[in-house]
Amino acid sequence: DTAVSQTPKYLVTQMGNDKSIKCEQNLGHDTMYWYKQDSKKFLKIMFSYNNKELIINETVPNRFSPKSPDKAHLNLHINSLELGDSAVYFCASSHQANEQYFGPGTRLTVT
Amino acid sequence: GQSLEQPSEVTAVEGAIVQINCTYQTSGFYGLSWYQQHDGGAPTFLSYNALDGLEETGRFSSFLSRSDSYGYLLLQELQMKDSASYFCAVRGVDKIIFGKGTRLHILP
């Protein structure tokens, strides 16, 4: 009965590869998010979807493409991975944006 | 521009009270939230203020002054398990911004 789940938990890959991270929430929330947390712990929003529609799209390279097949899922696909993409990626969901529930995170390491 | 400022580190003694401040600058304001994150863990929601005043949830309280664009998180009866990073976050117009986090160190 995990609220927000992400897979995989760890992802190690080489530069230039394409990878995906999956996220699912069973809280019945309408809004889902992707965040990137860098090595300095700075948490920055990347995307937000409400009922499968993109509502926030921060300045993120277009190598990052979110996909929301339904309101319980928000996946993140990353093309042509770069060293600077190494970070922890958190998925979150909320009913109201001021109270978000985060997944356990995916630690991405690009070598 | 839009920004949040909070201290990078705070140190306090077990059993004491500590206050973590947050000042913000946003276009549009829908509330100030606080999150706790332990090392290796995910952020977890602590509290939310949309209106001026103090909100209390157990040992934690959060305060907001919209006129001063300022808020704080108050932690009472500190326990060692409270050692973590604390983030303030605001939602503006089509924006969600997190502060850079305050690392709370607790001494026995």
Side-chain angles (χ1 to χ4, degrees):
Chain A
D1 50 344
T2 304
V4 183
S5 59
Q6 297 177 225
T7 54
K9 189 169 175 63
Y10 299 96
L11 187 53
V12 181
T13 188
Q14 292 184 329
M15 286 174 55
N17 284 348
D18 303 339
K19 290 293 178 184
S20 292
I21 307 172
K22 296 186 176 181
C23 178
E24 176 180 2
Q25 55 96 2
N26 62 5
L27 297 168
H29 290 158
D30 291 334
T31 309
M32 296 185 72
Y33 313 80
W34 276 111
Y35 287 86
K36 178 180 180 181
Q37 187 169 45
D38 61 23
S39 57
K40 295 183 179 179
K41 302 290 189 182
F42 188 30
L43 196 62
K44 185 171 170 59
I45 190 168
M46 302 172 69
F47 304 102
S48 174
Y49 271 72
N50 181 271
N51 273 323
K52 303 194 296 176
E53 284 193 33
L54 182 66
I55 56 172
I56 293 178
N57 184 358
E58 289 296 316
T59 306
V60 174
N62 58 14
R63 298 182 295 104
F64 291 79
S65 53
K67 284 189 170 52
S68 182
D70 55 62
K71 73 174 191 176
H73 296 84
L74 181 62
N75 304 322
L76 183 65
H77 188 75
I78 315 170
N79 289 328
S80 303
L81 279 155
E82 300 177 357
L83 292 176
D85 298 332
S86 295
V88 180
Y89 292 83
F90 287 101
C91 174
S93 74
S94 72
H95 171 60
Q96 296 180 349
N98 297 302
E99 182 175 346
Q100 298 182 29
Y101 292 82
F102 285 77
T106 296
R107 182 174 293 277
L108 172 65
T109 303
V110 182
T111 61
Chain B
Q2 303 188 78
S3 64
L4 282 86
E5 296 292 332
Q6 55 181 126
S8 59
E9 291 185 274
V10 171
T11 300
V13 178
E14 191 177 14
I17 299 173
V18 72
Q19 178 174 312
I20 300 173
N21 299 321
C22 175
T23 57
Y24 60 87
Q25 181 179 351
T26 72
S27 54
F29 176 79
Y30 297 101
L32 180 69
S33 303
W34 288 92
Y35 292 82
Q36 178 192 59
Q37 185 179 27
H38 286 99
D39 286 346
T44 56
F45 174 79
L46 290 177
S47 69
Y48 163 62
N49 296 68
L51 303 175
D52 288 357
L54 191 68
E55 294 282 342
E56 298 182 67
T57 309
R59 294 187 298 114
F60 294 1
S61 303
S62 57
F63 171 82
L64 175 65
S65 169
R66 294 175 66 127
S67 60
D68 295 323
S69 297
Y70 163 77
Y72 65 73
L73 180 69
L74 191 73
L75 296 83
Q76 302 182 71
E77 300 173 19
L78 283 170
Q79 302 175 10
M80 296 305 292
K81 68 178 182 179
D82 298 329
S83 294
S85 293
Y86 293 84
F87 295 85
C88 57
V90 298
R91 184 166 70 97
V93 177
D94 295 329
K95 285 276 187 184
I96 297 174
I97 305 171
F98 276 70
K100 294 185 177 179
T102 298
R103 178 78 189 192
L104 174 61
H105 302 279
I106 299 177
L107 304 176

